[in-house]
Amino acid sequence: MTAVAKPGSTKFQVDLRRHLRETEEDRDLTRLICEIADASKYIINSIRTGDLGLAGTSNLYGEDQLALDVLSDRILRKRLIHSGVVANILSEETTEIIKVAPDGKYSVAYDPLDGSSLVDVNLAVGTIVSIYESTNIFQPGRNQVAAMYILYGPRTSLVYSTGKGVHEFSMNQLMEFTLDRENVKMKPSGSIYSPGGQRNLYTEGTEKYVRFLEEKGCKLRYSGGFVPDINQVLLKGTGIFFYPHLRNKPNGKLRLLFELNPMAYLVEQAGGKASTGRQRILDLQPQGIDDCAPIFIGCREDVEKAEEFIAQFG
Ligand code: AFP
């Protein structure tokens, strides 16, 4: 059962650093997660006051980079290097692994500002981070030691797990993250669905699955931002997000290392499930930086139903 903050209750005046110390024995991991949390203060400022235009460069996927993408990437990278515990860094905004220190303890893959193209219409965006205790970042997502995201919405919230449950924090007026929800748990089945990609490019299996959800009375909730869309499914504990295999894109659009692995880790920690439609996301062996995969992620029974339709109809 998700424990929710009660206003004024002392238990929930717990800030991120204290929560980590009380639940996470590894001081280096606590330090790394707090550095990432600190970076968000500067990213928030760049979102609110920064240049919304193009940076004049493009990323590994050939997509135009926004000035905000480049600035957020620089902010986060600087804090990771400053943490003193990082070996390698991989950012969705750069084309190769950044080697920080050969004896560094952790390797970090991140999307510094996912959904950045939504900032100019004032929709919520987020930072997504995946952490391995290794110099090798090309491991299946099941080997992550932590994952987290920061959501820049009406509230700035932070969700993390180090393998001992999923916990949500909100940034207060002092820009500290204080505990809101501890041990977030998802229901077995939900009532919302968040369908990515062009519907006319859905395969028969996905199309039939959507019709099944609609007949079940599920409501469509989709913002186009991966972080807020996942956050809604995860924290309401109900429903499914999917960006499926499309007829012209068999591997879908979303990136395995920067988007799918960290979110799959968090959702599984909350009792949910994350699949390509055919296999567990966290079991995928990354082949390259730009790996993409289809994803069905959310309530366990909803994901299993999607897998049934994909198995039967493709
Ligand atoms: P950007 O980071 O380029 O804005 O893309 C956002 C995103 O990768 C992810 O946040 C969304 O879930 C997905 O794209 C939305 O894709 P569609 O616009 O094709 O639905």
Side-chain angles (χ1 to χ4, degrees):
M1 180 58 193
T2 302
V4 181
K6 297 177 184 60
S9 60
T10 51
K11 173 163 176 55
F12 288 88
Q13 295 308 316
V14 174
D15 73 2
L16 176 63
R17 188 178 297 277
R18 183 176 148 199
H19 192 265
L20 279 160
R21 284 194 171 146
E22 287 173 358
T23 53
E24 175 50 53
E25 58 283 354
D26 188 319
R27 290 282 177 265
D28 290 331
L29 188 53
T30 295
R31 182 171 173 186
L32 178 58
I33 291 172
C34 289
E35 285 284 0
I36 295 165
D38 281 350
S40 69
K41 299 174 189 173
Y42 303 93
I43 293 176
I44 291 167
N45 189 45
S46 63
I47 291 170
R48 297 205 168 126
T49 60
D51 170 5
L52 299 181
L54 293 176
T57 53
S58 59
N59 64 15
L60 183 61
Y61 311 91
E63 298 160 342
D64 288 336
Q65 286 178 305
L66 298 174
L68 275 181
D69 290 322
V70 175
L71 181 55
S72 305
D73 177 53
R74 201 174 297 148
I75 290 166
L76 203 47
R77 185 185 317 177
K78 198 171 159 196
R79 299 302 301 223
L80 291 174
I81 294 168
H82 176 259
S83 72
V85 295
V86 169
N88 295 314
I89 292 174
L90 192 54
S91 164
E92 196 204 48
E93 297 303 333
T94 57
T95 55
E96 56 198 18
I97 290 182
I98 297 156
K99 296 190 182 310
V100 177
D103 58 345
K105 190 169 179 180
Y106 299 102
S107 288
V108 182
Y110 64 83
D111 184 348
L113 200 63
D114 183 89
S116 53
S117 60
L118 300 170
V119 171
D120 64 351
V121 289
N122 204 20
L123 283 174
V125 293
T127 297
I128 313 171
V129 184
S130 168
I131 301 173
Y132 292 87
E133 185 168 342
S134 164
T135 54
N136 173 22
I137 225 160
F138 290 101
Q139 303 186 48
R142 64 176 180 266
N143 296 343
Q144 293 170 98
V145 293
M148 63 192 286
Y149 61 81
I150 297 148
L151 175 54
Y152 312 103
R155 290 185 296 119
T156 298
S157 60
L158 181 150
V159 171
Y160 90 88
S161 177
T162 57
K164 302 175 184 75
V166 181
H167 317 293
E168 187 212 18
F169 297 74
S170 285
M171 184 180 273
N172 66 19
Q173 65 278 19
L174 300 175
M175 299 195 93
E176 299 156 338
F177 282 108
T178 57
L179 185 64
D180 267 349
R181 289 180 179 88
E182 203 171 31
N183 295 316
V184 172
K185 287 295 172 206
M186 300 194 72
K187 299 183 182 82
S189 177
S191 56
I192 61 174
Y193 69 102
S194 198
Q198 278 181 243
R199 181 135 180 209
N200 62 313
L201 296 174
Y202 280 7
T203 61
E204 187 184 3
T206 306
E207 188 52 47
K208 285 182 183 301
Y209 179 58
V210 171
R211 266 197 252 116
F212 162 82
L213 293 172
E214 289 169 338
E215 282 155 18
K216 186 180 146 190
C218 291
K219 290 181 181 169
L220 191 154
R221 293 285 184 273
Y222 190 76
S223 77
F226 188 50
V227 180
D229 289 339
I230 292 287
N231 186 68
Q232 177 170 214
V233 166
L234 175 61
L235 294 189
K236 287 193 183 295
T238 172
I240 184 168
F241 171 97
F242 49 96
Y243 203 110
H245 48 304
L246 303 174
R247 284 191 279 128
N248 66 336
K249 282 186 192 169
N251 287 326
K253 169 185 181 182
L254 299 181
R255 288 89 179 192
L256 176 61
L257 291 171
F258 310 106
E259 293 164 322
L260 306 190
N261 274 341
M263 292 308 198
Y265 180 88
L266 291 168
V267 164
E268 285 200 3
Q269 277 291 313
K273 190 165 183 178
S275 166
T276 63
R278 292 188 172 83
Q279 72 175 99
R280 185 188 182 212
I281 290 283
L282 294 183
D283 287 340
L284 294 175
Q285 171 55 52
Q287 300 304 321
I289 292 175
D290 59 348
D291 280 12
C292 293
I295 186 164
F296 295 79
I297 181 171
C299 294
R300 185 174 33 78
E301 290 174 9
D302 295 343
V303 174
E304 287 166 354
K305 181 56 81 174
E307 290 175 325
E308 287 173 25
F309 278 98
I310 305 301
Q312 191 173 354
F313 302 103

